[in-house]
Amino acid sequence: MSDVVPGSVGTSASFSLRLGQTIFSSASLLFMSLGVEFYSYTAFCYLVTIMGLVIPWSFTLAIVDGYSVLVKCPIRQPGILFVIVVGDWVLSILTLAAACSTASVVDLLLNADGSYCPPKFCSRYQISAAMAFLTWFLSSASSLFNLWLLPSL
């Protein structure tokens, strides 16, 4: 197929998107895990769980993209591409849910009558939620680029 969609699997743009997803999801997990009190809130545990799923998914696909770029052979099998699109959509929705729930819980903790969260921990939780939102943005972009390519196969 001569049509190459920038950002689709097997391109350097896809490698950059996957690398960004891996970095932002790792940062989100790191900032959330630095505070030892994250397990007290379900939303924070949910974020840790989802980032634990996103990191290996994105890293594995980054390796696949890097290999495809090096050998100049992009992946164009419809079955494999369909699995990648569905996996991206599922993880993208779960990442958005985790980021939103984490941001809302942090906002609630900060704006309650008495602050239930020490400022040191809450700032880490806010950064973690921001990194999760950036992960979601890159993940949804990857999924849309691959979805765009799917009908042409």
Side-chain angles (χ1 to χ4, degrees), residues 29-150:
L29 183 63
L30 178 70
F31 279 109
M32 183 58 71
S33 298
L34 285 177
V36 293
E37 297 181 20
F38 80 88
Y39 57 84
S40 301
Y41 301 96
T42 306
F44 296 167
C45 292
Y46 179 63
L47 179 77
V48 168
T49 303
I50 298 304
M51 291 301 115
L53 293 172
V54 170
I55 292 168
W57 174 263
S58 298
F59 184 70
T60 302
L61 289 175
I63 291 172
V64 169
D65 285 334
Y67 178 76
S68 294
V69 168
L70 285 176
V71 298
K72 295 178 177 39
C73 181
I75 297 172
R76 294 295 177 252
Q77 290 83 12
I80 293 174
L81 197 57
F82 181 73
V83 168
I84 291 172
V85 168
V86 169
D88 277 344
W89 271 110
V90 168
L91 285 176
S92 178
I93 291 168
L94 292 174
T95 301
L96 179 61
C100 289
S101 63
T102 299
S104 64
V105 168
V106 170
D107 186 54
L108 180 68
L109 290 174
L110 286 173
N111 294 324
D113 286 335
S115 182
Y116 291 102
C117 186
K120 180 174 96 173
F121 288 135
C122 272
S123 63
R124 289 179 184 167
Y125 297 154
Q126 286 174 324
I127 293 170
S128 179
M131 295 295 124
F133 276 114
L134 291 171
T135 301
W136 164 74
F137 178 75
L138 294 177
S139 179
S140 60
S142 293
S143 184
L144 287 173
F145 286 132
N146 289 316
L147 187 62
W148 186 12
L149 179 66
L150 196 58

